[in-house]
């Protein structure tokens, strides 16, 4: 399949500054769109980035049938571009679609469409340290119909946005003891738009108390940690990494899976098992837990420094940068993503 391209007349690239990139605010010259109707997907078309026109009765606006993905493309000094593990995102968007009762996106539409779009807008992939092109495929129910049923029409799109990785201070996180992100039998493992909507209010409450994010716990007992914000969580003991198993209440991150492999490559023992809140608090108090961090495509990896639970807080005594295993893992991962280091895992897809 060669994807139809309608090229922009004049690129916006020269009007765009890469010095002050605000995440998700600026977009490349083109976007991809495909529509599902009468039981089948149209051929995808790449066209100039711009507004789309929708009916006020568009079902996604009312009933939230919408899913998305996020991944990154990198470019090195030889103008080689790479997308990091795009097949994993393709598989996951269809797992999400399935759970939300939406039609699966054909592989060619996703993969060929993505590669063609990134190739076309290749000059938009920033090259300075810590930058990338963020790729956002998404599907939403686009039938104009207010009845609360599964939509008969869907729209799949991909937009691309130059991004800079957030290099902030280690985070303060608050362990959830009331709100939940996901429940058994729910949609927590899907990248459903509504999961985000449900998390904003508890996150805002935590911010007012001086925290950066909520560390979500299991919905029934609030005694096992699951995810933090929209990131998977790792705990590091001396030579061991632990992360919660990818159950139906946990989004199985591509970054999470990559860190598990990199941890093993670095000679660490890696365990996937339920992590009690009690273990976290006792481990920080005793000093047995050396580091804790969150991971996801947007931030890659970020350490936690302060953990709050009910009315108490505990502070991790984080190692200096040159002894940080978290930083070592992050540098290895970014090295693979950007093409600066070897990729024995075959994760990079060259464009
Ligand atoms: C997207 C997401 C992640 C991270 O997944 P990656 O594939 O690593 O980007 C983790 N948790 C939630 C809830 C997410 O939506």
């Amino acid at each position: 399949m060669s994807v139809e391209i309608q090229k922009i007349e004049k690129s916006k690239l020269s009007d765009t500054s890469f010095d002050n990139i605000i995440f998700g605010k600026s977009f490349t010259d083109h976007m991809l769109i495909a529509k599902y109707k009468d039981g089948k997907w149209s051929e995808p078309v790449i066209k100039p980035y711009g507004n789309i026109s929708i009916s006020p009765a568009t079902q996604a606006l009312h009933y939230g049938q919408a899913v998305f993905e996020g991944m990154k493309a990198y470019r090195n000094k030889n103008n080689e571009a790479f997308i990091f593990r795009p097949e994993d995102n393709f598989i996951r968007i269809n797992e999400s679609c399935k759970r939300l009762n939406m039609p699966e996106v054909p592989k060619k539409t996703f993969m060929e469409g993505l590669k063609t779009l990134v190739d076309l807008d290749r000059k938009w992939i920033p090259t300075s340290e810590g930058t990338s092109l963020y790729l956002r495929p998404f599907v939403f129910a686009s039938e104009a119909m207010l009845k609360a049923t599964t939509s008969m029409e869907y729209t799949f799109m991909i937009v691309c946005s130059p991004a800079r990785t957030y290099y902030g201070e280690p985070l303060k996180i608050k362990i959830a003891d009331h709100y939940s992100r996901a429940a058994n039998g729910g949609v927590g493992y899907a990248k459903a738009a509504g999961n985000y909507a449900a998390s904003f209010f508890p996150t805002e409450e935590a911010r007012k108390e001086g925290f950066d994010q909520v560390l979500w716990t299991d919905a029934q007992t609030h005694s096992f940690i699951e995810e933090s914000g929209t990131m998977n969580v790792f705990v590091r003991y001396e030579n061991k990494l632990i992360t919660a198993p990818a159950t139906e209440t946990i989004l199985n991150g591509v970054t999470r899976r990559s860190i598990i492999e990199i941890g093993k490559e670095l000679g660490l023992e890696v365990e996937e098992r339920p992590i009690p809140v009690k273990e976290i608090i006792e481990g920080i108090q005793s000093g047995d837990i050396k580091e804790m961090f969150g991971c996801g495509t947007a931030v890659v990896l970020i350490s936690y420094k302060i953990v709050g639970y009910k009315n108490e807080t505990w502070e991790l005594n984080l190692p200096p940068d040159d002894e940080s295993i978290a930083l070592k893992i992050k540098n290895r991962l970014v090295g693979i993503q950007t093409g600066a280091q070897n990729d024995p895992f075959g994760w990079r897809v060259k464009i």
Side-chain angles (χ1 to χ4, degrees):
M1 180 178 72
S2 59
V3 180
E4 183 189 333
I5 299 173
Q6 299 165 8
K7 265 199 183 156
I8 196 165
E9 275 181 23
K10 186 180 175 299
S11 172
K12 300 174 293 184
L13 190 57
S14 57
D15 310 331
T16 309
S17 160
F18 283 172
D19 298 334
N20 269 312
I21 302 175
I22 301 169
F23 182 80
K25 270 281 186 189
S26 55
F27 297 91
T28 64
D29 284 331
H30 300 92
M31 63 184 189
L32 178 136
I33 186 162
K35 292 193 172 185
Y36 180 91
K37 200 179 172 178
D38 299 327
K40 58 178 193 293
W41 284 100
S42 69
E43 290 295 318
V45 179
I46 290 173
K47 49 168 82 171
Y49 179 91
N51 291 349
I52 53 170
S53 170
I54 55 169
S55 157
T58 297
Q59 283 196 317
L61 298 177
H62 300 270
Y63 307 119
Q65 240 189 329
V67 301
F68 68 98
E69 270 304 326
M71 75 197 105
K72 283 178 173 174
Y74 300 84
R75 185 159 61 118
N76 67 17
K77 294 194 173 63
N78 306 325
N79 200 29
E80 291 172 314
F82 307 101
I83 308 179
F84 187 68
R85 308 189 72 172
E87 288 239 7
D88 290 47
N89 298 87
F90 163 70
I91 291 166
R92 191 169 66 193
I93 203 169
N94 281 341
E95 285 167 1
S96 300
C97 280
K98 201 169 171 199
R99 179 62 183 83
L100 277 283
N101 209 30
M102 301 162 76
E104 293 182 19
V105 179
K107 185 164 185 181
K108 278 186 172 170
T109 299
F110 189 100
M111 294 301 296
E112 295 298 311
L114 186 73
K115 289 181 195 171
T116 309
L117 181 61
V118 170
D119 188 31
L120 183 65
D121 284 346
R122 163 191 297 264
K123 289 203 177 100
W124 284 86
I125 310 175
T127 51
S128 61
E129 199 186 326
T131 62
S132 60
L133 186 65
Y134 182 79
L135 313 174
R136 167 54 64 87
F138 58 104
V139 190
F140 64 96
S142 46
E143 186 182 355
M145 213 270 285
L146 281 189
K147 198 168 161 224
T149 55
T150 287
S151 178
M152 299 304 284
E153 295 172 27
Y154 296 87
T155 301
F156 169 66
M157 299 186 71
I158 308 176
V159 296
C160 314
S161 176
R164 180 182 299 279
T165 303
Y166 171 81
Y167 278 104
E169 290 292 301
L171 301 183
K172 295 180 177 182
I173 51 169
K174 186 195 169 183
I175 300 179
D177 60 6
H178 172 69
Y179 294 109
S180 306
R181 192 195 78 86
N184 291 343
V187 298
Y189 70 89
K191 227 167 163 68
N195 286 342
Y196 280 65
S199 74
F200 293 156
F201 179 73
T203 303
E204 193 56 39
E205 295 278 284
R207 290 231 167 97
K208 284 184 193 147
E209 294 171 35
F211 295 97
D212 298 300
Q213 280 188 355
V214 177
L215 181 57
W216 302 105
T217 47
D218 70 290
Q220 274 143 330
T221 67
H222 295 292
S223 55
F224 291 91
I225 66 162
E226 296 198 324
E227 295 197 55
S228 138
T230 57
M231 298 187 289
N232 294 114
V233 176
F234 283 84
V235 175
R236 177 176 77 81
Y237 287 91
E238 193 62 48
N239 277 313
K240 198 194 305 181
L241 282 180
I242 310 176
T243 190
T247 60
E248 63 181 350
T249 56
I250 289 185
L251 193 296
N252 189 357
V254 177
T255 317
R256 172 188 180 277
R257 292 204 294 278
S258 306
I259 287 174
I260 289 174
E261 295 305 315
I262 287 172
K264 290 175 185 163
E265 184 193 55
L266 296 176
L268 298 164
E269 192 185 327
V270 186
E271 271 180 21
E272 294 178 64
R273 62 160 170 86
I275 308 171
V277 170
K278 199 163 165 274
E279 178 180 335
I280 299 288
I281 293 168
E282 289 174 358
I284 296 174
Q285 282 176 323
S286 69
D288 287 344
I289 292 180
K290 306 296 181 198
E291 293 182 272
M292 268 180 83
F293 55 88
C295 66
T297 295
V299 323
V300 184
L301 183 157
I302 188 154
S303 287
Y304 302 144
K305 183 151 183 68
I306 303 219
V307 176
Y309 183 57
K310 302 209 191 265
N311 288 318
E312 284 186 86
T313 56
W314 294 270
E315 185 165 347
L316 273 130
N317 186 14
L318 294 177
D321 280 1
D322 58 342
E323 288 168 30
S324 166
I325 301 293
L327 196 61
K328 206 168 167 182
I329 292 171
K330 178 176 182 175
N331 290 339
R332 176 71 180 119
L333 180 54
V334 172
I336 296 173
Q337 290 174 328
T338 55
Q341 294 181 17
N342 68 327
D343 173 20
F345 308 102
W347 288 337
R348 277 194 304 254
V349 173
K350 197 171 159 184
I351 303 302

